[in-house]
Amino acid sequence: MSDDHTGFTLRSGPLVPQLEQLLRGRIRQGTWAPSERIPSEAALAVELGVGRSSIREAIRLLARDGLLEVRHGVGTFVAAASELEHVDEFTKLLRRSRILEVFEVRRALEIEAARLAAERVQPEDLDGLRRRLTMRHSHFEGDVEKFVDVDLDFHTEVVRLSGNAVLLSLFTSVRPLLRESLIEMMAHEAGVPDTSHAHDQLVEALQDADPEAAVAATRANIDTVLRRLRVLDA
């Protein structure tokens, strides 16, 4: 379901984080002014076509972060302007720290997957990976969520080519969190580096069956972003 005001679309998967993001966006965009009372849980549930319990949980999370104030028996209100400014800076720090941790885990998984893939991949296995690389490049400057999805499709394929089922299972399990972090980073952080060349180098390394080059390309991809995140986090 699409929210016409924010352009937000409810997708398959956990509902509460999506609702939290939608309501957070409305607060940031000024749909509800500081100190203004927001619509009731029942009204929001009807508008968005979801259950009241999901709305209630999303509001609870925003209240925990200081963006909303729940006054029992009265209603839920947007925080005062001065409080919102403080919360915004704190939220940025938390977001950057979380993304940094996710990328550190990603680095460990993908470096080993790239090394194994270079040792085990067969030439005929690379056609699908090249198609995914082309798809990734073609969406680089387009819709953020679509780009993140095709980028992760590429990296999932590299992990699959490692021939290690445990690595693939681990990467698949962390992919939703990685997707969320990538979307947040690209949507909120300025100067996110373009690592397209490192992706090209990774495919070349796999084609040449060169584990060292595959590891170097993977490091170039992930470490470029990690350095940027660490500067911001500092």
Side-chain angles (χ1 to χ4, degrees), residues 24 27-28 62-63 65-69 77-79 84 87 91:
R24 188 185 296 272
I27 294 169
R28 291 282 177 251
L62 293 172
D65 289 349
L67 291 171
L68 293 175
E69 179 187 355
F77 295 78
V78 178
L84 284 176
V87 168
T91 301

Side-chain angles (χ1 to χ4, degrees), residues 152-223:
L152 288 175
D153 287 344
F154 171 85
H155 291 284
T156 301
E157 181 67 6
V158 173
V159 178
R160 188 187 69 80
L161 292 175
S162 75
N164 187 305
V166 176
L167 268 179
L168 181 59
S169 178
L170 287 170
F171 189 82
T172 301
S173 67
V174 81
R175 176 169 171 160
L177 183 58
L178 183 55
R179 180 183 190 274
E180 178 185 348
S181 297
L182 283 166
I183 290 171
E184 284 193 15
M185 180 180 69
M186 297 190 71
H188 297 287
E189 301 294 350
V192 176
D194 179 6
T195 60
S196 297
H197 184 57
H199 288 73
D200 294 334
Q201 290 179 320
L202 175 56
V203 173
E204 291 176 7
L206 297 183
Q207 180 178 308
D208 295 340
D210 187 338
E212 291 186 7
V215 167
T218 302
R219 284 177 175 158
N221 173 34
I222 300 176
D223 287 358

Side-chain angles (χ1 to χ4, degrees), residues 46-59:
V46 170
E47 176 194 348
L48 300 173
V50 299
R52 286 184 61 176
S53 60
S54 297
I55 294 290
R56 186 179 304 117
E57 179 62 15
I59 288 174

Side-chain angles (χ1 to χ4, degrees), residues 8 12 15 40 61 65 75 77 80 120 152 161 165 195 199 233:
F8 185 87
S12 59
L15 181 59
S40 67
L61 293 172
D65 289 349
F77 295 78
R120 299 172 177 177
L152 288 175
L161 292 175
T195 60
H199 288 73
D233 194 51

Side-chain angles (χ1 to χ4, degrees), residues 1-228:
M1 173 174 293
S2 176
D3 181 327
D4 293 336
H5 185 82
T6 62
F8 185 87
T9 300
L10 294 178
R11 305 177 303 273
S12 59
L15 181 59
V16 172
Q18 297 181 64
L19 293 172
E20 180 194 359
Q21 181 181 346
L22 185 150
L23 298 179
R24 188 185 296 272
R26 288 187 174 183
I27 294 169
R28 291 282 177 251
Q29 294 169 16
T31 302
W32 305 309
S35 302
E36 179 183 347
R37 180 179 176 177
I38 72 170
S40 67
E41 292 175 3
L44 288 170
V46 170
E47 176 194 348
L48 300 173
V50 299
R52 286 184 61 176
S53 60
S54 297
I55 294 290
R56 186 179 304 117
E57 179 62 15
I59 288 174
R60 185 190 69 80
L61 293 172
L62 293 172
R64 177 202 63 188
D65 289 349
L67 291 171
L68 293 175
E69 179 187 355
V70 178
R71 303 176 191 172
H72 296 288
V74 179
T76 300
F77 295 78
V78 178
S82 59
E83 295 173 348
L84 284 176
E85 183 177 349
H86 172 74
V87 168
D88 190 49
E89 290 303 313
F90 183 63
T91 301
K92 286 180 181 178
L93 290 174
L94 288 178
R95 181 174 63 241
R96 288 166 181 165
S97 296
R98 181 173 65 249
I99 294 173
L100 180 59
E101 290 180 352
V102 172
F103 263 77
E104 287 172 345
V105 172
R106 177 186 187 181
R107 185 181 191 276
L109 288 174
E110 290 199 40
I111 283 178
E112 182 61 15
R115 184 184 68 79
L116 291 174
E119 293 175 350
R120 299 172 177 177
V121 72
Q122 299 299 312
E124 60 271 18
D125 294 331
L126 293 175
D127 290 340
L129 186 63
R130 292 191 188 96
R131 286 194 296 271
R132 295 186 187 283
L133 179 65
T134 299
M135 184 75 71
R136 179 199 181 276
H137 289 347
S138 68
H139 285 83
F140 178 68
E141 294 184 343
D143 177 76
V144 169
E145 292 193 16
K146 180 61 177 177
F147 170 72
V148 169
D149 285 336
V150 296
D151 177 63
L152 288 175
D153 287 344
F154 171 85
H155 291 284
T156 301
E157 181 67 6
V158 173
V159 178
R160 188 187 69 80
L161 292 175
S162 75
N164 187 305
V166 176
L167 268 179
L168 181 59
S169 178
L170 287 170
F171 189 82
T172 301
S173 67
V174 81
R175 176 169 171 160
L177 183 58
L178 183 55
R179 180 183 190 274
E180 178 185 348
S181 297
L182 283 166
I183 290 171
E184 284 193 15
M185 180 180 69
M186 297 190 71
H188 297 287
E189 301 294 350
V192 176
D194 179 6
T195 60
S196 297
H197 184 57
H199 288 73
D200 294 334
Q201 290 179 320
L202 175 56
V203 173
E204 291 176 7
L206 297 183
Q207 180 178 308
D208 295 340
D210 187 338
E212 291 186 7
V215 167
T218 302
R219 284 177 175 158
N221 173 34
I222 300 176
D223 287 358
T224 299
V225 180
L226 270 175
R227 283 193 295 270
R228 172 69 178 165

